Amino acid sequence: MIITKELTIIVEEKTASLDEKLYFYQGDKGIKIYFTVADSKFIFSEYDDANMLTGSSAKYSIIRVLKPRTDEDGSIKHTVKRTPIEDNRVLLEIDDDFANDVTEIGVYQLQISLYDDGYGRVTIPPVTFEVLKPIYDFTEEELEEYERIDSEGE
């Protein structure tokens, strides 16, 4: 099963916001979040479209994510690897390592840099999203049972 969410990042001057709030819960995974970017300052193409990626020369993106708290090594950043632009959208995949620890609950900042096929780069102002705590955690036995049931159903 693929879980997806479509959002638009609206850029105004030096700030950006999402067209709706983004949140998910600690331990959530297998989620693909697609972003379009509405920006009046940078034009990547000649198309008259609110999505600056439509017909653009942007070929891939790199997403920077600042976590709400530090890891054991003092790091608070999480960089998502270089990802191709797909259908004029930037993709952020939430995998099982993204927010699986209780210290990762809170407000995150996300910033996207768009790259063309040469040396060009445009960085979008950051937006925020939140990782929430579930009402209770599953035990290891419960998780193993759910995973066994899931694998039998495939």
Side-chain angles (χ1 to χ4, degrees), residues 59-63 80-86 90-93:
K59 300 297 182 199
Y60 66 93
S61 67
I62 294 178
I63 301 174
V80 178
K81 67 179 187 264
R82 177 178 146 159
T83 306
I85 303 294
E86 295 179 4
V90 173
L91 170 63
L92 172 64
E93 290 191 65

Side-chain angles (χ1 to χ4, degrees), residues 108-122:
Y108 286 59
Q109 285 189 60
L110 175 144
Q111 188 172 43
I112 298 171
S113 292
L114 302 170
Y115 294 82
D116 64 12
D117 51 4
Y119 293 104
R121 177 182 94 180
V122 170

